[in-house]
Amino acid sequence: MSRFALVDCNNFYVSCERMFNPSLEGRPVVVLSNNDGCAVARSNEAKALGIGMGAPVFTLAETLRRHNVACFSSNYALYGDMSRRVILTLGELVPDLEVYSIDESFLDLSSFREKDVPGLCGTIVTTVKRNTGIPVSVGVGPTKTLSKVAAGMAKKHPCLGGVCDVTDERWRERALAATPVGKVWGVGRRFEKFLKMRGIDTALDLARADRVMVKKRMGINGTRLLDELSGISCYPLETNPPAQKGVGVSRTFAAGIDDRRALCEALSTYAERAAEKLRTEELRAGLMEVSAMSNRFQRDTFYYNTAVVRFPAPTSDASEMIKGALSAFDGIYRENVPFKKLGIHLRELSPESEQQLLLFDAVDRDRSASLMKALDAVNTAMGKRTLGYASSGLSEPKAWRTRFNHKSPSYTTCWDDILRVF
DNA sequence: TCTGGGGTCCTAGGACCC
DNA sequence: TCTGGGGTCCTAGGACCC
């Protein structure tokens, strides 16, 4: 029988902040989204105050002040590096690993003897904590979905020591009965509402629900979900993740912007960034979609539009991307609309190695490739945006700049920010 | 005043073809 | 008077994940 483990970092972003700032232990801590807009990670103390996932900061002002909650802007450099360290540690402990997200990895434990599993899981918890400072929960079960349920149990009940195994039928039933249906992997807000209306409140109810009804409303993933909850594995471990399908860069502005020049600067910056992402993945894009919207919370005046550009040949050249983005934006820009968010999405990605040559190409591909190589080399060696395009704006400060008013130092990725011990 | 970003997959419906 | 069926491809929208 298959056996999976899910290793889930506890309150990951908060744990990263605490690792370099131990005075945060025991204090309520939240980490905010871009623009310091929403709470996207909360310490247990913050959760206990009723601060919900994704809660807008302006609705929390009173709670944050009254309970002296520590707030941090997202520090992606720090979290990305800490995630890498956790994954490295896991890789030393188990052979088969699927990195599922920045703070979760699935492990295939099928090759381990049953009696060795508890010891291994305990070792994972202590080793990751010792090597990285990050506390993790480990859930074990015969399917990925059940290992997620188990990890939820491990997190909720500290008495379990961070590990919960639901391989055994009786434990599985208890865990499923204690898991609200909305917490099940694959059940989002809509499906939760639908299921609850039919009296399906827990994961156990769902496991026993009518298959036809679930198939009809939730599609093929619904029946897979029922199988997974019953111990029939539908999702194997993906050790070699499939190629990425798209690349996106989008940002919300702190306030609405109608100045065309500023908007073009922002869009140009996103195009540069998107092209850079492509190049690090050694990919090229055949198509770009530019999107622009006003404040989506003002429904009566809401404006949203997209425009698509097809490149003559797949490309990752920044200047081609910028030109494409700005010309597409021409078609969707509206005067006097306060734009709140612009974005660029690249699709139809293909590996650099599979490049098709055009018979009549307006772009000198060799020249472009060496220019991008030089650009990336400078920015890697000397810091992001040391070298960039004038169309992305030269003057500071920029009205469209994302707000990060509470950012901690990049302790592990920036020499100037390295922790000093006196 | 203030409410993120980056992804994936599935499905239904229309266009088109034979 | 009377007007099929099946397959493929594409896209938009909706659902989900962290």
Side-chain angles (χ1 to χ4, degrees):
Chain A
M1 188 162 78
S2 57
R3 194 194 307 274
F4 295 93
L6 176 71
V7 180
D8 193 345
C9 300
N10 300 343
N11 313 332
F12 181 57
Y13 291 1
V14 167
S15 297
C16 291
E17 298 292 346
R18 277 182 172 162
M19 174 58 203
F20 293 92
N21 188 348
S23 72
L24 299 171
E25 289 297 339
R27 249 186 95 180
V29 182
V30 297
V31 175
L32 309 176
S33 64
N34 275 2
N35 268 323
D36 298 335
C38 305
V40 290
R42 304 101 73 218
S43 70
N44 290 346
E45 299 81 1
K47 288 176 188 172
L49 293 174
I51 297 173
M53 177 64 182
V57 168
F58 73 88
T59 64
L60 301 173
E62 176 61 17
T63 311
L64 298 181
R65 192 191 54 76
R66 179 144 29 103
H67 297 95
N68 190 26
V69 178
C71 292
F72 291 90
S73 304
S74 285
N75 186 341
Y76 299 113
L78 176 64
Y79 312 149
D81 187 55
M82 294 303 286
S83 173
R84 190 186 54 83
R85 296 178 185 204
V86 171
I87 293 161
L88 280 175
T89 300
L90 293 175
E92 287 167 7
L93 296 171
V94 292
D96 299 308
L97 173 80
E98 172 190 339
V99 178
Y100 177 67
S101 73
I102 194 166
D103 68 338
E104 286 173 73
S105 291
F106 285 106
L107 318 176
D108 184 351
L109 302 188
S110 308
S111 58
F112 288 84
R113 288 178 301 184
E114 184 165 2
K115 68 181 177 64
D116 295 336
V117 169
L120 174 66
C121 294
T123 305
I124 289 171
V125 172
T126 51
T127 311
V128 173
K129 175 76 179 165
R130 190 184 64 225
N131 288 6
T132 70
I134 301 295
V136 299
S137 303
V138 181
V140 179
T143 69
K144 282 182 166 178
T145 306
L146 285 169
S147 72
K148 286 274 254 182
V149 168
M153 288 289 113
K155 214 179 267 194
K156 203 158 100 187
H157 301 289
C159 59
L160 295 171
V163 180
C164 176
D165 187 338
V166 300
T167 304
D168 183 277
E169 200 79 48
R170 281 164 306 158
W171 284 107
R172 193 186 309 169
E173 275 210 21
R174 284 182 62 175
L176 289 175
T179 303
V181 73
K183 297 269 183 211
V184 175
W185 194 36
V187 178
R189 265 217 311 274
R190 294 299 176 93
F191 290 156
E192 179 187 17
K193 194 175 162 204
F194 166 82
L195 293 168
K196 280 186 166 168
M197 280 190 339
R198 277 155 188 76
I200 296 164
D201 293 313
T202 69
L204 187 62
D205 296 338
L206 181 57
R208 294 170 173 172
D210 178 58
R211 218 178 156 78
V212 175
M213 180 269 289
V214 169
K215 168 77 169 54
K216 194 166 175 216
R217 182 66 170 78
M218 302 176 66
I220 187 74
N221 287 326
T223 50
R224 285 189 189 137
L225 183 50
L226 294 192
D227 285 341
E228 284 258 320
L229 287 173
S230 316
I232 301 162
S233 177
C234 302
Y235 303 107
L237 199 79
E238 305 254 14
T239 39
N240 297 311
Q244 205 173 335
K245 303 259 166 77
V247 162
V249 178
S250 65
R251 293 289 180 276
T252 300
F253 311 127
I257 298 176
D258 59 4
D259 175 35
R260 184 177 190 142
R261 187 191 163 92
L263 292 166
C264 286
E265 280 184 12
L267 203 55
S268 168
T269 309
Y270 307 161
E272 273 192 81
R273 177 71 194 119
E276 190 179 67
K277 278 192 191 179
L278 279 183
R279 296 194 300 272
T280 53
E281 300 295 326
E282 300 183 349
L283 293 169
R284 289 178 170 146
L287 186 148
M288 168 190 275
E289 184 178 271
V290 175
S291 62
M293 67 169 83
S294 65
N295 189 338
R296 65 196 164 100
F297 297 100
Q298 287 170 2
R299 297 243 178 113
D300 44 338
T301 59
F302 183 57
Y303 172 79
Y304 174 78
N305 213 340
T306 61
V308 169
V309 189
R310 178 169 286 285
F311 297 111
T315 181
S316 58
D317 181 275
S319 58
E320 233 185 323
M321 297 263 158
I322 294 171
K323 275 181 208 146
L326 295 182
S327 74
F329 186 58
D330 264 347
I332 55 178
Y333 169 78
R334 296 287 178 273
E335 267 182 45
N336 302 320
V337 169
F339 285 94
K340 200 71 170 52
K341 181 175 183 175
L342 295 181
I344 284 177
H345 286 88
L346 302 171
R347 296 200 303 265
E348 298 187 5
L349 308 188
S350 55
E352 280 176 0
S353 53
E354 288 174 16
Q355 184 72 350
Q356 278 270 345
L357 292 178
L358 279 184
L359 197 50
F360 303 103
D361 200 338
V363 182
D364 182 337
R365 301 284 158 190
D366 289 336
R367 195 158 169 273
S368 147
S370 43
L371 177 60
M372 290 303 112
K373 207 172 164 187
L375 180 71
D376 291 335
V378 169
N379 287 335
T380 303
M382 304 180 69
K384 285 185 176 175
R385 287 204 51 76
T386 301
L387 202 56
Y389 285 76
S391 56
S392 299
L394 300 167
S395 59
E396 299 276 355
K398 299 178 172 106
W400 48 271
R401 190 55 88 209
T402 309
R403 193 159 48 202
F404 288 102
N405 289 343
H406 310 282
K407 193 153 145 249
S408 57
S410 294
Y411 300 105
T412 65
T413 54
C414 177
W415 284 112
D416 292 337
D417 287 354
I418 202 161
L419 204 59
R420 292 190 182 95
V421 180
F422 297 102

